Amino acid sequence: MRFIFKTRYDQDINLFPHGGAVFWYSLLAVTLLSVPLIVTPFYVGELSFLFIWSLAGLSLMVLTGYTGLISIGHAAFLGIGAYVHAYLVRHGVPFIPAILCGGFAAAAAGLVIGIPAIRMRGLYLAIATLAFSAIAEEVFVRWETLTGGSRGVPVPKPQFLGIEIDNEIGFYYLCLAILVLCILGIVNLLRAPTGRAWIAIRDSEIAAQSMGVNLAGYKALAFAVSAFLAGIAGGLFAHKVGYLTPDIFTPILSIQLLMLVMVGGVGSIHGAIFGAIFLVLLPTVISIARDYLPAAIGQQPALEPGIYGLILVLVVLLEPLGLNGLWLKIKFFFSQFPMYKSATFKRQKTYMRTERLQ
Amino acid sequence: MHGGRSMAEFLQLLVNGLAVGCIYGLVALGFVLIYKAGEVVNFAQGEMMMLGAFVAFTFIVQFGLNYWIGLALAVVVMAAFGGLLDIVVVRRIIGQPQFSTVMLTIGLGVMMRSGASMVWGPETRGLPSPFDKTVLQIDGVVLSAVYLAILVTTALLCVFLLGFFRFTRVGLAMQAASQNQLAAYCMGIPVKRVLSSVWALSAGVATIAGVMLAPISLIDPNTGAIGLKAFAAAVIGGFGSIPGAVVGGILIGLIELFSGVYLPEGFKDTAAYIVLLAVLVVRPQGLFGAVGRKKV
């Protein structure tokens, strides 16, 4: 068992809680940097997909996991980022300004939704994001100069500092770098007053407000930051798929993102990564499972969304903290070895009647 | 002459919009019933409507039963399904954050959609109705009896629900449970069972809406997306008021049909959502404001 003796206040906001964490994260960094030298390009491509999903999951995690605002329309932000980035890249704008513009365009859209969100409770907000994504879907089909309509648009290869990145390995490092930068940015935000305010809002709006947290400002900020990250993920995604059509950014993508956050574990950055790993592996698992299921079920195209729904339901019912919660429990079991009590993780019930008062 | 024709067109749109709006209103009513009773927002309400229509399709088209018997059986089956859904799944998460209920019902909705696609196939299906062939002509305005039947059914259903809530023991128990669960429990009302029966009632209403929708727009597993428009209706109505939900639905239906004709292409499908966002920004408590926002 590890005891951390705190002798300085700074220790509360250290990036790494103890030396062991530094060791493991360095090991992870070395592994990730050397992976493309070892595995085949196919797996490198899958890993860059994983990084893009992680980034999208991180964006929803900021909003849902840390601020407690539900977005059922995150696909729209991804789509805005992807289309704006693709448009700019096609017109010769370099990679970095283009992807930042994509991010800022999504952030602006996030503010448009976020500002009314100030006045809305969680439920109304969820409905508003759903409506917003339905409108965005229609706009993607209609606005042909930007999106090429339902025919779609091709996305050129990324050009980074004048060098065209046309192989999987280069793109892998690009995605990895952007993901690490974004995670560091979010980790820093979360240990700063901004993140503390978000978490306070998530846990109780009334308490946060009485501690002097500006609810409106921080909620809108959470929306903007989340949409910005989603926009960046969208830009990378555009390069990854190479061709954008409006039917990529459908409600099912939003639901996949929600599933990512739920399965990974609400309220932790590890959760976003775990969820992304799960989501990348799932289609493979489903396609293997199809062979073992009876043909009447196994060959149905609707099997995949059905399994997504089932997983969502099971996670909510059985393990609301997701994979990250499971991981924490296992760690806790071994660190406390003979003394583990399952009651430690018992969830406190809050009856929703009181929420009406907020 | 021209004025007359556009007048006829206007009347026709009015009736069609009212009819479509009634369906949105009925689905919205289902949301509101469940929300008022258990504070659960059922994101799967549209899917329940879709399932109801498919169950009726099985009874009427595949089994060849009489229309009314098939409809009644479908309502019973779906009511049982709704009640069971509450008992088996939804009841377990009462007391957890609202986020969980939203995720749970979204997951359920996705499962219902994919289940329907597995059982009935992804094709669109028609459901014949006894009013299909009848056409009424009043002053050169051609009205299909299907639309009028929807209006009449909705009105009857509303009167029935009003009576049910006011005069029956179960209805009164539902009202009590939705006002204060603890107090209702102390007065000897079996709150859990009442909540399950609210789910059953709401599934039944959704089934009727689905069966009425089938003749005017064919049904397929994605028909449940109408649930979002019904959300718009419920929000306009104030998300807590039953008459508000129906009126909100009618407004959405009218706005949708009129914007389809008088506004540029693309507005028909988004008008409901634009109105929804506008209402949320300008008047979040809804036009009827049954549940006002309390300040601490």
Side-chain angles (χ1 to χ4, degrees):
Chain A
M1 237 186 117
R2 187 197 311 272
F3 290 101
I4 300 173
F5 291 108
K6 292 193 172 157
T7 49
R8 286 174 298 120
Y9 287 114
D10 290 355
Q11 275 177 302
D12 278 332
I13 57 166
N14 272 352
L15 206 52
F16 299 107
H18 49 76
V22 178
F23 171 74
W24 288 114
Y25 283 113
S26 321
L27 194 65
L28 181 67
V30 171
T31 318
L32 286 178
L33 285 175
S34 53
V35 154
L37 310 174
I38 304 162
V39 301
T40 57
F42 172 76
Y43 289 105
V44 176
E46 290 294 294
L47 277 173
S48 10
F49 241 130
L50 171 68
F51 296 152
I52 297 170
W53 274 116
S54 305
L55 192 51
L58 182 70
S59 96
L60 193 57
M61 195 60 87
V62 168
L63 194 65
T64 303
Y66 285 105
T67 321
L69 304 170
I70 310 169
S71 164
I72 317 180
H74 235 58
F77 299 126
L78 234 75
I80 292 170
Y83 276 120
V84 170
H85 176 68
Y87 181 82
L88 291 175
V89 167
R90 266 183 297 141
H91 289 76
V93 179
F95 179 80
I96 294 177
I99 202 160
L100 284 177
C101 281
F104 283 121
L111 273 182
V112 169
I113 280 295
I115 286 173
I118 293 157
R119 304 177 58 177
M120 289 180 227
R121 305 274 324 123
L123 149 76
Y124 284 111
L125 187 63
I127 299 170
T129 53
L130 202 58
F132 172 72
S133 80
I135 296 173
E137 229 184 309
E138 191 71 23
V139 171
F140 291 154
V141 177
R142 304 269 168 204
W143 193 354
E144 299 214 343
T145 46
L146 182 70
T147 68
S150 45
R151 278 174 296 109
V153 281
V155 186
K157 294 279 174 206
Q159 293 234 338
F160 192 71
L161 302 175
I163 311 157
E164 192 179 67
I165 300 176
D166 55 354
N167 59 357
E168 291 287 3
I169 294 177
F171 191 63
Y172 171 91
Y173 284 119
L174 183 66
C175 290
L176 180 61
I178 291 178
L179 176 65
V180 170
L181 275 180
C182 290
I183 289 182
L184 281 179
I186 293 302
V187 169
N188 275 318
L189 263 186
L190 286 176
R191 57 192 189 130
T194 315
R196 301 291 165 98
W198 283 342
I199 293 170
I201 291 174
R202 175 192 68 188
D203 291 342
S204 163
E205 280 192 16
I206 294 177
Q209 202 169 12
S210 31
M211 296 303 285
V213 171
N214 176 358
L215 288 188
Y218 280 108
K219 279 184 180 180
L221 185 66
F223 250 100
V225 170
S226 169
F228 178 79
L229 291 178
I232 298 228
L236 289 175
F237 185 75
H239 284 305
K240 182 69 196 160
V241 294
Y243 199 88
L244 291 177
T245 51
D247 57 6
I248 297 175
F249 305 104
T250 52
I252 202 78
L253 180 63
S254 305
I255 289 173
Q256 277 178 315
L257 283 175
L258 278 176
M259 194 182 82
L260 187 162
V261 170
M262 264 330 265
V263 170
V266 176
S268 72
I269 288 176
H270 286 148
I273 315 286
F274 288 150
I277 295 173
F278 180 81
L279 211 60
V280 169
L281 290 180
L282 190 61
T284 324
V285 175
I286 292 178
S287 66
I288 294 171
R290 274 178 195 276
D291 296 336
Y292 291 97
L293 287 170
I297 300 173
Q299 300 312 316
Q300 295 272 6
L303 181 67
E304 203 165 316
I307 289 178
Y308 290 159
L310 182 67
I311 290 170
L312 209 51
V313 170
L314 289 181
V315 169
V316 172
L317 288 179
L318 303 178
E319 183 55 281
L321 289 177
L323 292 175
N324 188 55
L326 209 59
W327 163 240
L328 290 181
K329 278 180 196 174
I330 293 171
K331 219 162 66 168
F332 189 71
F333 178 82
F334 283 109
S335 69
Q336 303 280 316
F337 173 57
M339 317 293 273
Y340 178 80
K341 289 198 295 274
S342 63
T344 314
F345 290 96
K346 202 168 159 55
R347 276 179 291 162
Q348 194 186 358
K349 287 201 169 187
T350 48
Y351 287 93
M352 279 178 283
R353 281 295 159 196
T354 50
E355 264 189 22
R356 262 196 192 166
L357 288 172
Q358 290 183 7
Chain B
M1 182 63 203
H2 180 74
R5 246 187 72 192
S6 68
M7 193 60 205
E9 189 189 77
F10 179 82
L11 275 179
Q12 219 160 351
L13 275 177
L14 189 70
V15 173
N16 293 4
L18 281 174
V20 174
C22 283
I23 289 170
Y24 295 159
L26 286 183
V27 181
L29 195 134
F31 285 130
V32 171
L33 284 178
I34 291 178
Y35 179 70
K36 277 187 79 162
E39 298 248 317
V40 172
V41 189
N42 182 15
F43 276 81
Q45 193 71 22
E47 273 76 18
M48 294 229 270
M49 180 203 77
M50 177 270 297
L51 272 190
F54 269 115
V55 171
F57 170 81
T58 306
F59 284 129
I60 296 167
V61 177
Q62 293 180 328
F63 294 175
L65 292 178
N66 173 289
Y67 182 81
W68 300 106
I69 296 175
L71 174 61
L73 278 177
V75 170
V76 171
V77 168
M78 283 304 293
F81 174 75
L84 272 180
L85 202 62
D86 181 56
I87 293 169
V88 178
V89 184
V90 180
R91 188 181 285 175
R92 290 167 194 277
I93 55 151
I94 296 238
Q96 284 172 31
Q98 203 168 35
F99 177 67
S100 305
T101 66
V102 172
M103 302 303 293
L104 183 81
T105 52
I106 288 178
L108 287 175
V110 175
M111 279 172 73
M112 286 184 207
R113 198 177 286 197
S114 120
S117 161
M118 286 188 192
V119 176
W120 288 283
E123 308 90 24
T124 45
R125 310 274 190 173
L127 184 61
S129 123
F131 309 104
D132 267 348
K133 302 284 181 288
T134 330
V135 169
L136 300 178
Q137 259 190 325
I138 308 157
D139 276 350
V141 184
V142 184
L143 296 178
S144 164
V146 177
Y147 290 90
L148 292 176
I150 292 175
L151 294 183
V152 174
T153 316
T154 308
L156 286 178
L157 202 58
C158 286
V159 171
F160 165 76
L161 283 175
L162 209 65
F164 175 76
F165 282 122
R166 188 146 308 165
F167 300 115
T168 65
R169 283 176 68 87
V170 185
L172 286 172
M174 284 178 185
Q175 280 199 46
S178 76
Q179 280 171 14
N180 189 332
Q181 289 184 348
L182 186 63
Y185 187 70
C186 293
M187 299 312 283
I189 292 171
V191 173
K192 282 184 179 176
R193 234 188 302 157
V194 166
L195 288 191
S196 302
S197 44
V198 169
W199 273 81
L201 179 67
S202 148
V205 172
T207 306
I208 294 177
V211 172
M212 293 198 304
L213 177 73
I216 57 173
S217 95
L218 303 174
I219 45 169
D220 68 64
N222 291 325
T223 309
I226 277 188
L228 184 49
K229 286 175 185 164
F231 260 131
V235 169
I236 290 177
F239 229 105
S241 136
I242 291 176
V246 178
V247 176
I250 290 173
L251 276 178
I252 290 284
L254 288 175
I255 290 168
E256 193 174 79
L257 280 205
F258 278 102
S259 59
V261 174
Y262 296 111
L263 286 179
E265 205 185 344
F267 273 96
K268 181 175 188 293
D269 293 325
T270 48
Y273 311 130
I274 294 171
V275 171
L276 166 64
L277 286 180
V279 169
L280 282 178
V281 173
V282 180
R283 235 185 113 76
Q285 71 272 40
L287 298 183
F288 298 85
V291 183
R293 210 173 79 119
K294 290 178 191 161
K295 296 220 166 173
V296 181

